[in-house]
Amino acid sequence: MCTIWRHRIVSALVNCLLMKKLKTAVRKWRTMRLFRKRDDSSVTRQTSIEPVPSTSGTPAHLSRPPNDLLQLEPDEGQKLREQHLRQFSFFQLRIHLKRGQSLIAMDKNGLLSGTSDPYVKFKAGGRLLHKSRIVYRDLNPVWDECFTVPIEDPFQPVQLKVFDYDWGLQDDFMGSCQLDLTALELGRAHDLVLCLRDPNKPSLDLGEIVLNVTLYPKSQEDKEAYLLKNTRLSDVNKRLKAQIWSSVVTIVLVEAKNLPAMDVETRSSDPYCKFRLGNEKYKSKVIWKTLHPSWLEQFDLHLYDDQEQILEVTVWDKDKQTKDDFLGRCAIDLSRLEREKTHNIWQELEDGNGQIFLLLTISGTTQSETITDLASYRENPRDIEIIERRYTWYRLNETTSGVGWLCVKVYGAKGLAAADLGGKSDPFCVLELGNSRLQTHTEYKTLTPNWMKIFTFTVKDISSILELTVYDEDHDHKVEFLGKLAVPLLNIRNGEKRWFALKDKKMRARAKGNYPQILLEMSVIWNPLKAAIRVVNPIEPKYMHQEAKFKRQLFIRNVMRLKAIIMWFLEFGKILQDCFEWESRLRSFIGLLAWLAFCYNYQMWMMPFLLLVFFTRNWLIYRLTGGNPLLIPVDDDDLQAEEDDEEEVDKEEKKSLKERLQAIQEVTQTVQNAIGYVASLGEAVKNLMNFTVPYLSYIAIVMLIGAMIVLYLIPLRYLLMAWGINKFTRKILRPHTIPNNEVLDLLSRVPDDETLLDIRELKPHAPNENRRDARKKHKAS
């Protein structure tokens, strides 16, 4: 009996399983009927916002929306389509942007040239997915770009916008269209032709965009893997594991000379350079129509221990229609170059003619036990004694090129701003003195880096300013500004270890963060007599210095600086006018007697004597007050600079000004810089007399005493004759000397008020909260 019931139960279970499998098979059969292949004969021309796909093969393992949805009611088809797409939590859209057809000409002289410089932006939900490259001067551009973008909401259409690139101006809108993802079959490639339209001019034909798209469904695991691969945290971890470079090679491509002419008509070339170090490459910009190009480009390459340390440089001539012409090559063996030192390299080009000039520095080492590792550094008193003897004041014929020696110990920083998504940064510090540039290694995922590095510089000019800039390293070796500090060499207190506050890009306010500071210890040893001779000779140009472009705020600031100098002369003229008008009889009478006595007894040596009197007056003020008020450290409450977003504001300002002042841009830029130069010169004279830089003021005093003695002993006529002979015979006797003016060369070393604001220190500690509250209450009352 039990056996019979057992067989019945087993039979019932088998029948249930069979019925279930049968129902499942029927359901799958019905689904496959809905998924039968479409009969699309050609590429569909789309004029609406929904793409119509063309014929293409479909992988068997991917799901598709039902083909018979067109035969169903619209509401039912939409519901089934949405239900099918909601089965997947993540999608990837592969786009092959092929070309554009019959685009509209947007150039200003479009009637003559009929060209545009088009590029395409892909957006979804206001987020930029991809931006294509720019195709110049073409109304039928061929992009031929393939890329894949993540899609989380397939019900949001992808917007395509085409723009015409205009250098320095607002890019022109050339049309837009939309890609409806709900009309695409999953896993199937679709060839589409999208018509561009302008919402303001719907009837205007703006051309077409030809592309191929495929929408792939992905699972939740695929989504998590994709997000993990592309998050910033994963980027940092990957870089930490993969970073095996030992040093950073900083290259400044300055110029080239005597290149061969490859263009027969113009007898010139369009040169550019290619650099290769291991697997890393760099290509410079093209300098058009010249045999003596000046690039002034700075870039970094990375040096690995297990690779060949040969820097390959090739120079090419750019041809628009044919293959670029080869101009020459050279190779630089980096293993023979001293680390942590900037090398000036003139290299002859092989397989061609000409020379190329580079500034090359190998620094940023990640290894310990190196000459820059402060943890393993032990100061040797004997080495310091040798350096001090080398730069003794009476040693003027030494073979050393500089006038002194600078040692900078970079311990670390604190309070830096968080530049990454995880609330951390990857900071490193760059030190610049003139054309010399050194840097520390990168400390990852921290706001309080401990670099523990020591650097030495050869001082070529004692009036130079040491600049320290802290950056955050991003992926692809890009950087983000975190703070900056400027320290004049003459202000350094040897052996003093202390915190310095970091400033923002404008050098007027504190940098972003929690009172960011950097811990330094500096020492400078220099020859005062040799330095005095150097400051009255032409200053070494800084190769990476770029002339300031026109900005409204900079123009107004330079005008106000010049106005302050002019007002000083106006005040002096007003005093003379009051004497002439006899506003005060006693003062006018004394002034008349002084003028008559001066004119009757005047000798040339009296002019330097009067300037010495003025120097003496200001020296007494300097000794009693303690220096220029622009150099006194201040709190944040005393700063008047406004903090704003540097990149966005500057970019918007540049765009708007170039739209309004296109015709007079070059004129206003020249006027702005000329006003800035005159204002800087006047402020330099003022600061020279105010003992802002006492060393330079003492040099001026010595020069004035010498001029006074010479003018007292030698008649002016003989001095003028000697001056004329020197000027007329300079080209014959000394053809390679640089013409200079000792007075202007000395003034070029004196900082103007803008430089003083740059180097003014901020107090490292936070200001007293009680005092700040008291100030706020006082201002409110």
Side-chain angles (χ1 to χ4, degrees):
M1 192 68 177
C2 295
T3 304
I4 296 174
W5 280 104
R6 187 183 301 112
H7 282 291
R8 289 180 179 179
I9 293 172
V10 171
S11 300
L13 291 175
V14 171
N15 291 333
C16 290
L17 291 175
L18 290 176
M19 289 298 294
K20 188 175 183 180
K21 288 184 178 181
L22 180 62
K23 291 180 180 179
T24 303
V26 171
R27 190 181 299 112
K28 286 186 178 181
W29 177 74
R30 291 177 178 176
T31 304
M32 291 303 297
R33 286 189 59 194
L34 295 176
F35 278 84
R36 68 179 182 271
K37 191 175 181 180
R38 292 186 181 182
D39 187 15
D40 299 329
S41 59
S42 61
V43 176
T44 304
R45 177 182 177 87
Q46 181 180 351
T47 58
S48 65
I49 64 172
E50 294 187 0
V52 181
S54 65
T55 58
S56 180
T58 305
H61 65 283
L62 292 174
S63 302
R64 302 177 184 171
N67 266 358
D68 289 349
L69 290 179
L70 297 176
Q71 302 175 4
L72 301 174
E73 294 296 330
D75 294 341
E76 184 180 355
Q78 183 67 22
K79 289 180 180 179
L80 289 176
R81 184 185 295 115
E82 293 180 1
Q83 183 179 0
H84 184 72
L85 290 174
R86 287 194 175 96
Q87 294 178 3
F88 305 98
S89 60
F90 186 62
F91 299 85
Q92 283 187 344
L93 179 65
R94 184 185 182 275
I95 300 176
H96 179 195
L97 177 61
K98 296 182 178 180
R99 63 186 181 274
Q101 298 177 168
S102 304
L103 301 184
I104 188 171
M106 300 299 295
D107 285 349
K108 295 181 180 178
N109 53 349
L111 295 177
L112 299 177
S113 63
T115 61
S116 293
D117 305 321
Y119 66 91
V120 185
K121 285 185 177 181
F122 293 80
K123 290 186 175 182
R127 181 171 61 92
L128 180 65
L129 300 177
H130 179 76
K131 178 181 176 182
S132 73
R133 63 184 178 89
I134 302 170
V135 179
Y136 293 94
R137 297 181 294 277
D138 199 342
L139 298 181
N140 297 286
V142 178
W143 288 287
D144 195 21
E145 295 183 17
C146 294
F147 54 93
T148 303
V149 295
I151 299 295
E152 294 187 4
D153 186 3
F155 302 103
Q156 258 187 354
V158 177
Q159 296 181 347
L160 287 77
K161 292 186 177 181
V162 184
F163 294 91
D164 170 58
Y165 173 77
D166 284 335
W167 182 85
L169 301 176
Q170 183 71 34
D171 296 343
D172 298 320
F173 177 71
M174 298 179 62
S176 65
C177 56
Q178 288 186 345
L179 177 61
D180 187 1
L181 302 181
T182 60
L184 300 178
E185 291 189 16
L186 299 181
R188 182 177 180 180
H190 303 75
D191 291 319
L192 304 177
V193 179
L194 305 182
C195 293
L196 298 176
R197 290 288 182 263
D198 187 348
N200 298 325
K201 302 175 182 178
S203 61
L204 183 61
D205 185 11
L206 301 179
E208 302 168 341
I209 298 295
V210 181
L211 70 164
N212 179 278
V213 297
T214 308
L215 185 64
Y216 294 99
K218 297 294 180 179
S219 63
Q220 182 66 27
E221 291 77 10
D222 296 332
K223 178 180 179 181
E224 294 176 357
Y226 180 85
L227 294 177
L228 179 63
K229 182 180 178 181
N230 290 274
T231 54
R232 174 65 178 163
L233 184 59
S234 177
D235 249 351
V236 172
N237 293 333
K238 182 179 178 181
R239 188 167 65 248
L240 280 170
K241 295 177 182 178
Q243 184 195 30
I244 56 175
W245 54 265
S246 59
S247 300
V248 178
V249 181
T250 301
I251 301 173
V252 178
L253 175 60
V254 183
E255 60 180 343
K257 291 186 177 180
N258 304 322
L259 297 180
M262 304 304 293
D263 191 341
V264 180
E265 296 180 358
T266 60
R267 295 183 179 180
S268 63
S269 295
D270 305 321
Y272 67 92
C273 292
K274 291 182 178 180
F275 294 82
R276 181 176 177 272
L277 181 60
N279 295 325
E280 286 189 281
K281 298 179 182 179
Y282 178 82
K283 180 180 177 181
S284 73
K285 63 184 178 182
V286 180
I287 306 298
W288 303 98
K289 296 182 180 180
T290 180
L291 300 180
H292 311 284
S294 177
W295 288 282
L296 297 181
E297 291 187 49
Q298 178 178 307
F299 57 95
D300 293 339
L301 300 176
H302 291 81
L303 192 62
Y304 297 82
D305 290 332
D306 56 351
Q307 75 177 20
E308 187 179 10
Q309 299 187 7
I310 300 296
L311 176 64
E312 299 178 4
V313 186
T314 55
V315 185
W316 301 80
D317 170 62
K318 181 69 175 179
D319 284 335
K320 297 180 180 178
Q321 299 179 352
T322 61
K323 186 178 180 180
D324 295 348
D325 300 318
F326 178 75
L327 298 180
R329 66 161 53 90
C330 64
I332 302 174
D333 189 357
L334 302 182
S335 62
R336 298 183 178 181
L337 298 180
E338 182 181 352
R339 265 54 174 171
E340 310 300 340
K341 179 181 179 181
T342 299
H343 303 271
N344 298 350
I345 300 176
W346 274 103
Q347 195 78 13
E348 294 286 339
L349 295 178
E350 303 172 1
D351 303 330
N353 298 320
Q355 307 88 31
I356 188 171
F357 181 38
L358 308 171
L359 299 180
L360 194 148
T361 308
I362 305 176
S363 63
T365 176
T366 58
Q367 299 176 349
S368 60
E369 304 299 331
T370 63
I371 59 173
T372 62
D373 186 26
L374 191 57
S376 60
Y377 173 75
R378 296 294 180 269
E379 186 171 317
N380 190 348
R382 183 174 177 81
D383 294 339
I384 301 298
E385 292 178 2
I386 294 174
I387 296 174
E388 290 177 347
R389 285 200 302 267
R390 183 189 307 166
Y391 294 106
T392 307
W393 68 270
Y394 55 83
R395 292 180 179 267
L396 301 179
N397 297 324
E398 293 290 333
T399 57
T400 55
S401 59
V403 301
W405 172 84
L406 172 66
C407 175
V408 183
K409 298 177 183 179
V410 183
Y411 291 93
K414 65 180 181 180
L416 300 179
D420 297 340
L421 297 178
K424 300 293 184 180
S425 294
D426 306 324
F428 67 95
C429 182
V430 175
L431 297 84
E432 294 180 278
L433 182 65
N435 290 312
S436 299
R437 184 181 188 272
L438 302 176
Q439 73 179 62
T440 69
H441 64 283
T442 303
E443 290 278 330
Y444 291 101
K445 298 179 64 179
T446 180
L447 300 180
T448 58
N450 292 312
W451 293 297
M452 299 298 291
K453 294 293 181 180
I454 179 171
F455 302 98
T456 58
F457 295 87
T458 298
V459 178
K460 298 181 179 179
D461 195 333
I462 195 60
S463 62
S464 301
I465 296 177
L466 174 67
E467 296 181 354
L468 298 95
T469 311
V470 180
Y471 295 100
D472 168 69
E473 179 184 333
D474 288 335
H475 60 282
D476 299 331
H477 306 301
K478 296 180 180 179
V479 297
E480 185 174 345
F481 178 86
L482 294 180
K484 190 173 183 179
L485 172 68
V487 182
L489 299 187
L490 290 171
N491 288 2
I492 292 177
R493 299 177 183 177
N494 289 353
E496 183 183 27
K497 178 181 177 181
R498 70 185 185 92
W499 290 95
F500 292 84
L502 294 175
K503 292 186 175 182
D504 60 2
K505 285 185 178 180
K506 290 184 177 180
M507 301 295 289
R508 295 296 182 272
R510 194 182 299 273
K512 295 180 180 179
N514 185 20
Y515 295 97
Q517 305 170 44
I518 185 170
L519 183 59
L520 304 173
E521 181 181 342
M522 296 173 285
S523 298
V524 58
I525 301 174
W526 51 290
N527 186 328
L529 188 55
K530 197 173 182 180
I533 297 174
R534 182 69 186 88
V535 296
V536 294
N537 283 279
I539 190 171
E540 180 184 12
K542 191 170 183 179
Y543 295 114
M544 288 309 297
H545 175 73
Q546 296 182 354
E547 189 176 6
K549 297 181 180 180
F550 179 79
K551 292 183 179 179
R552 181 178 58 86
Q553 294 179 353
L554 180 60
F555 183 82
I556 295 175
R557 188 162 65 245
N558 287 343
V559 170
M560 297 304 296
R561 292 168 60 196
L562 182 61
K563 180 181 178 181
I565 300 297
I566 294 175
M567 291 302 297
W568 187 85
F569 286 101
L570 291 178
E571 289 294 332
F572 183 75
K574 184 178 180 181
I575 295 175
L576 292 179
Q577 185 66 27
D578 292 341
C579 292
F580 295 155
E581 297 294 334
W582 291 81
E583 296 291 340
S584 174
R585 295 186 177 182
L586 179 60
R587 184 173 59 183
S588 299
F589 181 72
I590 295 175
L592 176 61
L593 294 180
W595 176 257
L596 293 176
F598 176 76
C599 294
Y600 183 77
N601 299 296
Y602 176 73
Q603 298 291 331
M604 287 299 297
W605 60 269
M606 294 182 180
M607 183 60 67
F609 176 76
L610 292 176
L611 292 176
L612 283 174
V613 171
F614 194 72
F615 265 106
T616 303
R617 168 187 171 272
N618 289 332
W619 179 80
L620 293 174
I621 297 175
Y622 159 74
R623 298 299 295 181
L624 294 175
T625 59
N628 195 307
L630 292 179
L631 290 175
I632 300 176
V634 294
D635 288 328
D636 292 347
D637 297 336
D638 301 324
L639 296 174
Q640 301 299 323
E642 297 181 358
E643 298 183 6
D644 52 20
D645 190 352
E646 292 285 341
E647 298 179 358
E648 295 297 329
V649 172
D650 289 347
K651 184 176 180 180
E652 293 176 2
E653 182 183 8
K654 186 189 301 181
K655 293 269 185 180
S656 61
L657 285 175
K658 286 188 176 180
E659 290 175 354
R660 300 176 185 176
L661 305 175
Q662 293 176 9
I664 60 172
Q665 179 182 5
E666 295 182 359
V667 177
T668 50
Q669 181 176 345
T670 304
V671 172
Q672 166 195 276
N673 296 332
I675 292 175
Y677 174 77
V678 174
S680 298
L681 195 62
E683 291 171 352
V685 174
K686 178 192 69 174
N687 293 332
L688 180 67
M689 291 187 155
N690 287 343
F691 285 83
T692 299
V693 185
Y695 172 75
L696 298 179
S697 299
Y698 292 142
I699 291 178
I701 291 174
V702 172
M703 293 175 64
L704 289 174
I705 293 175
M708 181 180 66
I709 295 173
V710 170
L711 291 173
Y712 179 77
L713 298 176
I714 304 175
L716 178 62
R717 61 180 65 89
Y718 298 116
L719 295 176
L720 293 176
M721 290 172 62
W723 177 83
I725 293 173
N726 175 65
K727 292 297 182 182
F728 281 97
T729 60
R730 180 193 61 81
K731 193 67 176 178
I732 300 174
L733 300 178
R734 302 183 303 277
H736 300 294
T737 58
I738 301 176
N740 68 306
N741 185 305
E742 288 78 7
V743 176
L744 291 179
D745 290 336
L746 177 62
L747 290 176
S748 67
R749 268 55 173 215
V750 182
D752 55 20
D753 290 350
E754 293 292 300
T755 305
L756 294 181
L757 291 173
D758 290 346
I759 64 178
R760 180 172 59 178
E761 297 180 15
L762 302 176
K763 293 182 179 179
H765 58 80
N768 193 335
E769 296 294 333
N770 296 331
R771 183 164 59 89
R772 177 183 294 180
D773 295 338
R775 288 189 178 184
K776 290 182 178 180
K777 292 180 180 179
H778 178 70
K779 290 180 180 180
S781 60

